Amino acid sequence: MNKQQGSNKKGKASGRGSGNSRNTSYARGNAPIKKQVVTNNTPKSEPKKSNPGDIRLNKYIANSGICSRRDADMHISTGLVSVNGKIVTEMGYKVKLEDEIRFDGARVNPEKKAYVLLNKPKGFATTTSEGKGRTVMDLVANATSSKIKPIGRLGRNSLGLILFTNDEDVAKKFTNSKNGVPRLFHIELNKNLKHEDFIKIKEGFKVEGKLVAVEEISYIDKGSKKEIGLKVKNTGSTIIRTIFDYLKYDIEKIDCVSIGQLTKKDIPRGHWKHLTEQEVISLKML
């Protein structure tokens, strides 16, 4: 009996065949480990995904070519960077491409700078708006992935050079009321330009109280008196129409033949080219 009782106690201690859970051995790791495996197989909550259009602020600045990411972090921490008008000093801050980022007051563009020169044909409107029929943007659609815009305007039936860029500093040169960038136009009128009108244009005159002035005017060599060379610093061709409408001439042709030192050489009508590094430097020095 004693031996039986002793063996029964031993059996109880092992937990085999016994319903007493308090004495159950976990040496083989049965129930608890199985339960944990089941628990681990339950669907996990997915990590929060960031907006694919977001970009870290330091990368945004670095992409613009201003400085490295490390230096960008330093400038951010010292309060030199603003996002949509508010100073941001937080590391890892994310922005969208359409946000207005300024570094030390100057607008930052995260895209690679692009400079495209188009020799515009007739029948294309100078606009970035859709629903305007054929536009100059159709002609440069494959020129670059950067978001370039035309500087200045040429009428739908005007011809010649238009510069496209995403470089705001260059764009400001064209719109600067004091300096501007000279553009040379070849103009053909419906009749000969009278000498007195030639002098009036050369010296400048007022239309509705506003001074209308040009940089230079000349008759085209080996051409008739109907063909005029006119250099202006305005971004559009409106001033040209203002001049000749006031003087009672009809314009039959407007052709922009140069912008600063940029010419139509080796650019057939309807084609474009990227500016060379030297051409960009020369343009910025105007």
Side-chain angles (χ1 to χ4, degrees), residues 170-189:
V170 169
K172 286 178 181 178
K173 282 184 174 290
F174 282 77
T175 56
N176 187 301
S177 59
K178 292 184 178 179
N179 299 320
V181 175
R183 298 196 300 165
L184 179 61
F185 290 86
H186 180 178
I187 300 161
E188 189 171 329
L189 305 173

Side-chain angles (χ1 to χ4, degrees), residues 34 88 96 158 161 175 196 206 255-256 264 275 281:
K34 285 183 180 180
V88 171
K96 294 178 174 57
S158 297
L161 296 178
T175 56
E196 55 266 32
K206 289 187 176 182
D255 188 354
C256 181
K264 296 190 291 184
L275 297 192
I281 292 172

